[in-house]
Amino acid sequence: MDAKSLNRLELNKVLSVCSEYACLEGTKAILSELSPSADIAAVREKLSRTGECVKLLFRYGVSSIEYFQDISEFLTRASKRSTLSCAELRLVNALLRSARIAYTSINSVEDEEISLIKKDSARIYYDRNLEDDITEKIISDDEVSDHASDALYSIRSKIKSLNERIRSKLSEYVSGDTARYLQDGIVTMRGDRYVIPVKAEYRSRVKGLVHDRSQTGATFFIEPEYVLELNNELVALQIDEKEEIERILKALSLRVGDMAERLATDMEVLAEIESYYARARYSYAYKCVLPRVNKRGYINIIRGRHPLIDQKKVVPVSLELGGDYKFLLISGANTGGKTVTLKMCGLFCLMAACGIFLPASEGTDVCVFDDIFCDVGDSQSIEESLSTFSSHITTVIDMCKRATAGSLVLIDELGGGTNPDEGQALAKAVVEHFLNVGCRGIVTTHFTPLKEFAYTVDGIENASMEFDASTLKPLYSIKIGLPGASNALAICRRFGMDKNILDRAVSYLSEGGKAFENIVRRAEDSRVEAQKKLEEVNLLESQLKEKLAEVNRRIDELNKQRERLTAGARAESRRIINERTAQAEEIVDELEELFKKEELSQSDLIKARTLKNKLKNAAYGDGEGEEPLNRFEQATAANLKAGDGIYFTRLQATGQVLSVNAKKGEAEVLCGSIKTRCKISELQKINAPAAPKKKGEVRVKKSGDIAPSKPQLEINLLGMTVEEALYEVDNFIDRAVLSNLEEIKVIHGVGTGRLREAIARHLKGHKNVKSFRLGKYGEGETGVTIVTLK
């Protein structure tokens, strides 16, 4: 691609930032020299590799490539059978370790979508045995381990033992009768041999070999005769040690040399893989997305952010090109973001062609162009004696010669820097040429005739950068379909230019120019106002939808509560019917047994009459009156009082009056677990008259007379208030005690924990509760409480 255009679009800066996420020098070199591809298959493969690395790093937590230095020189020497030093072998070991970790970490992930990076990793070679040997045998850059070989261990053991013997012999000399001959009571070394410092006047008293003398001549360093052979033996052992170390290093170097070619390949493969890791980290840091790529010249950037602008300050811009129109003519106020938008469009295409995700929103499309041409900014060249216009037009001429249907053309201020009449005429001709060629492009302009031209020619569309007319500040948002006013005079006014100068400037404007700019400005103001109204309507619509959803949710809750109450009433009705039926059957059986007798006595008649009354009781509930229980009448403020039974028509449920407000015509009622306030007109009063009991009369009902019902082991309190829930819990515990249950379950849910804590406090002081605990795994955990009854 055109190298100058790549620099103008600042791809090199993006690649430089991307390379900061890499640690290998080879990776940094790859990224700095990276060139956009024009092959769509290759681009898709690059983007797929970056996507796989994003998953490896941020979904599966795979470790990145470990650092190692460039060891090409060492590998070349090793391949020629040269011996490497300890430090050099440790650098080779770093490469072996990095290769092993990269291979195992990538291939440990079981994901069918990660295939390309695994294919790359298949080229990685590592030798765990050689890595372990170097690690164990070389412990620093200049030291070999004692255990590198049995021979080395034996030699060093002998050297250590011999050192101790020599020091022991010399210490006897230092601390014995000869101590008075010594300058200092110490043992030192000269030329790897142990010596003692002897005063010059006593040197003849100490037999041995003189190795050195002090600068003053007062001290002679003498190797005593009786340690001479020991020192000779020590030197011989040190030579053996050096030769054994050379042999160990030679053996390791030969193994490195045998695999030098494969290790060189490792360096290339690891650097390439890390280049995609770096692209993945860059994409993650800048909140980038995987773009869709095409070859048909279509670009659709959704909320794109220029990557070289501070991410806290950049304003997202959306732009579409290559669909209904091939060229976009962007106009509007200075500093409104035209140039940034133009450069962002080209840069995004280049980034995608390099396998880098884009800082935009999902659904962004870019095209893989054969070439991208860009002319942005002041290109004045002093060296080549080119003015701004000359340099600009030289670039445009080159574009016209080289552009094809597969090119993207980006020109900032086409035709600027010269006479406006000639400039706008030239701009029209150049744009028309590019349209005929069939390439895609974006041109920015302030020329009014060029804006008019875009209305009359197919394939090009006007666009404007939004400008707030009230504050005279750009909004950094692009709108397709309308040209933008330059607002140059308005901006000058905002910056404080003298009013007289501005008025004079207005007088110099042509009538046609003023008319067009006024029309554009009014159209833009109207569009901005309409946009604000639309946003307000959309906001209001969303709020109404939320409220409607809330109303529907409340209706659903009320319907569920009504169904729950209805189901409870039906169950209670079935229980009462079963109970009465059982009682009636017992009475009928007794009557049949009674009438089987041939003669009935007076007592039998009395008993029969008693059974008849009991049968009547079974029919009406208490047998004390002839009227059935539930007789309704319309409730009024006059006949309703607290404690009365009622039927709530809206909920279709029975309940009890808690309080009455006659002035407002309202009553507070409790229907099951629901406490609510309603109109008295919505209530039916339940009249259940019962004959008064005679004084001293006691009624006894045997438990055997009631048909047993299946006890409930759990209660569901979800959706209830704390007050309603505690009321239901007390009733449930009472029923459980009567049913002789030992353990029950209270379902309260997790939520904020307020209901769970209130139930726990209530259960602590309950007379029928022995203990309680939260549910375990499989029981509902913290969403239920298990209660043990006394």
Side-chain angles (χ1 to χ4, degrees):
M1 290 195 179
D2 184 60
K4 291 182 179 179
S5 296
L6 298 185
N7 288 332
R8 292 188 184 110
L9 292 172
E10 301 177 295
L11 176 65
N12 59 330
K13 293 183 180 179
V14 172
L15 295 176
S16 176
V17 174
C18 192
S19 68
E20 293 176 4
Y21 293 93
C23 66
L24 302 180
E25 293 303 320
T27 301
K28 293 180 184 294
I30 288 174
L31 290 173
S32 64
E33 298 169 4
L34 195 60
S35 178
S37 174
D39 182 355
I40 189 168
V43 170
R44 285 174 176 160
E45 189 171 297
K46 288 181 181 181
L47 290 170
S48 295
R49 277 188 167 86
T50 303
E52 289 181 13
C53 288
V54 169
K55 292 179 70 175
L56 286 170
L57 291 173
F58 303 109
R59 179 184 296 181
Y60 298 111
V62 168
S63 59
S64 57
I65 306 299
E66 288 204 4
Y67 176 75
F68 59 85
Q69 290 185 23
D70 185 349
I71 58 170
S72 303
E73 179 188 347
F74 308 148
L75 294 178
T76 302
R77 285 170 43 208
S79 65
K80 295 178 180 179
R81 296 298 184 260
S82 295
T83 300
L84 303 180
S85 66
C86 292
E88 291 167 347
L89 285 170
R90 279 166 61 85
L91 293 177
V92 172
N93 204 38
L95 171 59
L96 287 169
R97 172 181 167 81
S98 182
R100 174 179 57 81
I101 291 175
Y103 179 87
T104 55
S105 62
I106 291 171
N107 288 277
S108 66
V109 176
E110 296 181 0
D111 189 332
E112 294 180 356
E113 294 181 358
I114 299 176
S115 58
L116 295 173
I117 294 298
K118 284 187 177 180
K119 182 180 177 181
D120 293 339
S121 70
R123 298 167 53 206
I124 297 175
Y125 171 81
Y126 68 93
D127 188 330
R128 185 61 185 267
N129 293 328
L130 178 57
E131 180 189 343
D132 291 342
D133 283 347
I134 294 176
T135 301
E136 293 170 3
K137 293 180 180 181
I138 301 176
I139 58 179
S140 72
D141 286 350
D142 53 8
E143 186 177 359
V144 176
S145 170
D146 294 348
H147 302 281
S149 70
D150 293 338
L152 183 62
Y153 181 79
S154 176
I155 293 170
R156 285 184 172 174
S157 296
K158 290 177 182 178
I159 290 174
K160 182 178 179 182
S161 176
L162 192 57
N163 275 322
E164 291 175 354
R165 286 172 59 194
I166 294 172
R167 284 182 174 278
S168 177
K169 286 285 186 182
L170 292 176
S171 63
E172 292 177 6
Y173 207 102
V174 169
S175 60
D177 295 337
T178 56
R180 64 180 180 276
Y181 303 142
L182 304 182
Q183 192 72 262
D184 296 301
I186 59 171
V187 176
T188 184
M189 296 190 77
R190 287 294 186 274
D192 295 330
R193 301 181 76 88
Y194 286 98
V195 295
I196 54 177
V198 180
K199 295 178 181 177
E201 59 268 25
Y202 297 120
R203 66 176 181 171
S204 59
R205 301 290 183 95
V206 179
K207 294 183 179 181
L209 183 64
V210 177
H211 282 274
D212 197 4
R213 185 180 67 178
S214 65
Q215 291 183 352
T216 61
T219 304
F220 283 83
F221 296 95
I222 299 175
E223 180 183 4
E225 189 177 51
Y226 59 81
V227 297
L228 187 61
E229 285 302 319
L230 293 177
N231 271 332
N232 289 340
E233 187 179 349
L234 179 62
V235 171
L237 287 172
Q238 288 172 341
I239 293 172
D240 291 341
E241 178 190 24
K242 185 176 180 181
E243 289 176 348
E244 180 60 19
I245 290 174
E246 283 292 326
R247 188 194 66 77
I248 293 169
L249 296 179
K250 181 73 173 178
L252 293 174
S253 299
L254 288 174
R255 291 169 67 183
V256 172
D258 291 338
M259 61 181 71
E261 198 172 312
R262 285 175 288 185
L263 292 179
T265 302
D266 275 357
M267 293 176 60
E268 296 175 2
V269 174
L270 292 174
E272 184 67 24
I273 291 176
E274 201 205 19
S275 74
Y276 286 102
Y277 277 162
R279 280 174 260 202
R281 289 196 188 91
Y282 175 89
S283 300
Y284 184 82
Y286 282 78
K287 298 181 176 63
C288 299
V289 298
L290 170 64
R292 293 191 293 256
V293 293
N294 62 81
K295 198 67 177 175
R296 64 182 189 276
Y298 179 67
I299 297 173
N300 183 24
I301 297 172
I302 302 174
R303 294 184 60 78
R305 308 178 306 277
H306 196 291
L308 298 179
I309 299 177
D310 187 345
Q311 297 302 297
K312 296 179 181 179
K313 298 178 181 179
V314 66
V315 179
V317 175
S318 297
L319 179 145
E320 187 175 5
L321 176 68
D324 297 334
Y325 44 88
K326 297 179 179 180
F327 253 77
L328 205 57
L329 184 70
I330 304 179
S331 53
N334 291 316
T335 71
K338 299 189 299 298
T339 304
V340 171
T341 301
L342 178 143
K343 293 177 69 175
M344 181 189 72
C345 181
L347 182 59
F348 273 19
C349 294
L350 295 174
M351 289 172 64
C354 291
I356 303 174
F357 287 8
L358 306 181
S361 296
E362 292 287 349
T364 293
D365 291 84
V366 291
C367 175
V368 178
F369 289 102
D370 296 335
D371 212 337
I372 296 178
F373 300 100
C374 179
D375 179 40
V376 178
D378 185 357
S379 302
Q380 186 178 39
S381 174
I382 298 175
E383 292 83 358
E384 299 179 13
S385 301
L386 294 176
S387 67
T388 299
F389 177 75
S390 299
S391 178
H392 164 69
I393 208 61
T394 300
T395 304
V396 171
I397 291 170
D398 184 58
M399 290 182 183
C400 293
K401 291 178 180 178
R402 296 171 57 189
T404 65
S407 301
L408 175 66
V409 175
L410 306 169
I411 306 177
D412 188 29
E413 301 295 345
L414 178 58
T418 188
N419 179 278
D421 290 335
E422 293 182 347
Q424 58 87 13
L426 179 63
K428 289 180 185 179
V430 169
V431 170
E432 196 168 20
H433 168 77
F434 287 136
L435 287 172
N436 292 333
V437 169
C439 60
R440 272 64 174 173
I442 300 176
V443 173
T444 67
T445 187
H446 288 286
F447 290 147
T448 298
L450 199 55
K451 302 174 191 178
E452 297 171 346
F453 173 77
Y455 276 122
T456 60
V457 177
D458 291 336
I460 184 170
E461 184 67 64
N462 268 306
S464 61
M465 302 304 298
E466 287 193 279
F467 187 82
D468 191 332
S470 59
T471 61
L472 300 179
K473 291 183 179 179
L475 301 176
Y476 303 107
S477 176
I478 189 170
K479 290 298 177 183
I480 310 296
L482 282 176
S486 296
N487 292 293
L489 299 182
I491 293 173
C492 291
R493 184 175 289 107
R494 179 164 68 91
F495 281 103
M497 182 174 280
D498 186 86
K499 183 177 180 300
N500 294 328
I501 298 175
L502 291 172
D503 292 341
R504 198 66 177 267
V506 170
S507 68
Y508 288 137
L509 287 175
S510 68
E511 291 301 322
K514 285 193 288 186
F516 185 83
E517 289 293 318
N518 289 333
I519 291 171
V520 169
R521 191 175 296 108
R522 285 196 295 270
E524 178 67 9
D525 293 344
S526 299
R527 191 198 59 75
V528 171
E529 184 64 26
Q531 183 68 28
K532 290 180 180 178
K533 294 294 183 183
L534 180 60
E535 291 174 357
E536 292 175 2
V537 169
N538 290 338
L539 177 61
L540 183 60
E541 182 182 5
S542 64
Q543 292 174 347
L544 289 175
K545 286 182 179 179
E546 290 177 3
K547 290 181 180 179
L548 181 60
E550 177 66 17
V551 169
N552 290 333
R553 186 183 65 80
R554 295 295 298 273
I555 290 174
D556 290 341
E557 289 179 0
L558 289 174
N559 288 335
K560 290 178 182 178
Q561 291 174 353
R562 184 178 67 183
E563 291 173 4
R564 189 165 59 247
L565 290 171
T566 303
R570 288 173 181 168
E572 182 66 15
S573 299
R574 286 194 295 270
R575 186 191 68 77
I576 294 172
I577 291 171
N578 291 336
E579 179 183 315
R580 297 291 186 266
T581 302
Q583 291 178 1
E585 288 176 351
E586 289 180 5
I587 294 170
V588 171
D589 290 342
E590 289 184 30
L591 285 172
E592 288 178 352
E593 289 295 326
L594 187 63
F595 285 107
K596 284 180 181 179
K597 296 181 180 181
E598 295 181 357
E599 293 185 5
L600 295 175
S601 64
Q602 186 66 29
S603 63
D604 291 335
L605 292 174
I606 294 172
K607 184 177 181 181
R609 189 177 294 108
T610 304
L611 290 172
K612 175 187 176 185
N613 292 334
K614 288 179 66 177
L615 188 59
K616 187 180 294 184
N617 289 346
Y620 292 107
D622 58 2
E624 296 294 331
E626 295 298 325
E627 289 189 23
L629 286 178
N630 294 331
R631 185 164 61 85
F632 302 98
E633 66 173 320
Q634 179 62 46
T636 63
N639 67 3
L640 199 64
K641 63 182 183 299
D644 286 349
I646 53 90
Y647 177 77
F648 191 178
T649 57
R650 180 146 50 92
L651 290 183
Q652 298 184 13
T654 58
Q656 187 179 27
V657 177
L658 299 179
S659 64
V660 178
N661 189 334
K663 292 182 178 180
K664 293 185 176 181
E666 295 178 347
E668 186 178 21
V669 298
L670 178 67
C671 296
S673 62
I674 300 176
K675 182 191 294 184
T676 183
R677 184 169 294 277
C678 63
K679 298 291 184 181
I680 295 177
S681 60
E682 296 177 315
L683 304 177
Q684 295 280 335
K685 183 179 178 183
I686 300 175
N687 292 323
K693 274 195 274 185
K694 295 179 182 178
K695 190 173 182 179
E697 182 181 5
V698 177
R699 297 177 185 167
V700 178
K701 181 182 283 187
K702 296 180 181 179
S703 61
D705 295 337
I706 302 174
S709 61
K710 185 177 180 180
Q712 294 182 348
L713 300 178
E714 63 182 37
I715 183 173
N716 191 335
L717 306 176
L718 297 177
M720 296 185 186
T721 64
V722 172
E723 183 179 357
E724 294 169 352
L726 297 181
Y727 175 82
E728 291 296 325
V729 167
D730 284 339
N731 291 337
F732 182 57
I733 291 175
D734 291 341
R735 293 195 298 272
V737 171
L738 291 175
S739 300
N740 293 322
L741 297 178
E742 293 182 359
E743 190 175 85
I744 58 175
K745 181 189 288 186
V746 178
I747 303 173
H748 45 65
V750 180
T752 61
R754 184 168 172 263
L755 182 57
R756 180 184 67 240
E757 294 170 359
I759 290 172
R761 288 195 301 269
H762 187 66
L763 293 176
K764 282 182 181 178
H766 202 287
K767 63 181 180 180
N768 291 324
V769 175
K770 181 179 180 181
S771 63
F772 63 94
R773 62 176 174 81
L774 291 175
K776 299 177 181 176
Y777 181 79
E779 293 180 331
E781 301 181 27
T782 58
V784 304
T785 297
I786 307 299
V787 182
T788 303
L789 301 176
K790 293 181 180 178

